[in-house]
Amino acid sequence: GAVVSQHPSRVICKSGTSVKIECRSLDFQATTMFWYRQFPKKSLMLMATSNEGSKATYEQGVEKDKFLINHASLTLSTLTVTSAHPEDSSFYICSATSGRYSYEQYFGPGTRLTVT
Amino acid sequence: AQRVTQPEKLLSVFKGAPVELKCNYSYSGSPELFWYVQYSRQRLQLLLRHISRESIKGFTADLNKGETSFHLKKPFAQEEDSAMYYCALRDTGGFKTIFGAGTRLFVKA
């Protein structure tokens, strides 16, 4: 089956620094990738949708200047949390589909971000 | 507004008992509904979708447009069914997916 990886699996950074999370589709071309944030004991909150080669579409309430998303190739999307604050600490999950009409999303294992 | 509601945070049943995980949705058009499952220490994965109308691991879910529900059912729960279950709605106008809050199913021996 289709596999999506994320790197790193967990990261600790200091307030004010930036951290980059990578999401890769290992055995298929992901024309669309999604970034989610999961709060403790709560559901996945969609942050943004990114299509290869174009700007990401952010959900309402998500700061695009704070959460920079780049989808430069069909197998890689990156989420950069800029000027991180402790409240950005969360579990970030990416998913990918192989096309607009592909219904199934393949999820990465997630990245645990802790901002101290 | 699009919304997916899973009223139960935790559902605990005995092995062999029937189980029903509730899901209600609000959507103005014709949605695509899914159930995703996350087993302990594993990533989220698709369990089933309403269009396929198939049974996966003994689970079925019927879309009831009148009640705007998509409840997940299994007649005889197994211990290995213990997991977190998420109901999800896909915007057919685009392709983003909205998830419910999830229900943790615990099947006791």
Side-chain angles (χ1 to χ4, degrees), chain A residues 4 38 43 59 100 105 107, chain B residues 43 86 90 96-97 100:
Chain A
V4 174
Q38 187 172 34
S43 186
E59 294 300 301
R100 182 186 181 95
Q105 291 186 53
F107 286 83
Chain B
R43 65 189 69 191
Y86 293 94
R90 182 171 182 259
K96 69 179 185 181
T97 302

Side-chain angles (χ1 to χ4, degrees), chain A residues 3-5 32 34 36 38 42-44 46 49 51 59 99-105 107-109, chain B residues 9 32 34 36 38 43-46 49 84 86 90 92-102:
Chain A
V3 178
V4 174
S5 70
T32 303
F34 304 89
Y36 294 87
Q38 187 172 34
K42 293 193 176 182
S43 186
L44 289 79
L46 180 65
T49 303
N51 293 296
E59 294 300 301
R100 182 186 181 95
Y101 301 104
S102 174
Y103 63 87
E104 184 163 0
Q105 291 186 53
F107 286 83
Chain B
K9 288 186 177 181
E32 286 187 77
F34 304 84
Y36 282 83
Q38 187 170 27
R43 65 189 69 191
L44 203 63
Q45 58 185 291
L46 179 67
R49 57 194 285 245
M84 194 74 178
Y86 293 94
R90 182 171 182 259
T92 52
F95 33 67
K96 69 179 185 181
T97 302
I98 306 298
F99 287 81

Side-chain angles (χ1 to χ4, degrees), chain B residues 21-35:
Chain B
L21 289 81
K22 292 183 168 53
C23 172
N24 288 89
Y25 67 91
S26 62
Y27 184 67
S28 57
S30 294
E32 286 187 77
L33 274 299
F34 304 84
W35 276 98

Side-chain angles (χ1 to χ4, degrees), chain B residues 61-72:
Chain B
D62 292 320
L63 178 61
N64 186 321
K65 292 185 178 181
E67 297 182 357
T68 60
S69 68
F70 187 56
H71 303 326
L72 183 68

Side-chain angles (χ1 to χ4, degrees), chain A residues 1-52:
Chain A
V3 178
V4 174
S5 70
Q6 280 184 243
H7 178 78
S9 58
R10 58 179 63 224
V11 58
I12 300 173
C13 70
K14 294 184 177 181
S15 290
T17 62
S18 296
V19 60
K20 180 185 288 187
I21 302 170
E22 292 185 349
C23 176
R24 293 182 184 273
S25 58
L26 299 184
D27 50 4
F28 68 102
Q29 294 186 330
T31 55
T32 303
M33 287 185 168
F34 304 89
W35 285 95
Y36 294 87
R37 183 173 177 177
Q38 187 172 34
F39 296 93
K41 299 183 179 181
K42 293 193 176 182
S43 186
L44 289 79
M45 182 193 79
L46 180 65
M47 298 174 66
T49 303
S50 75
N51 293 296
E52 185 266 338

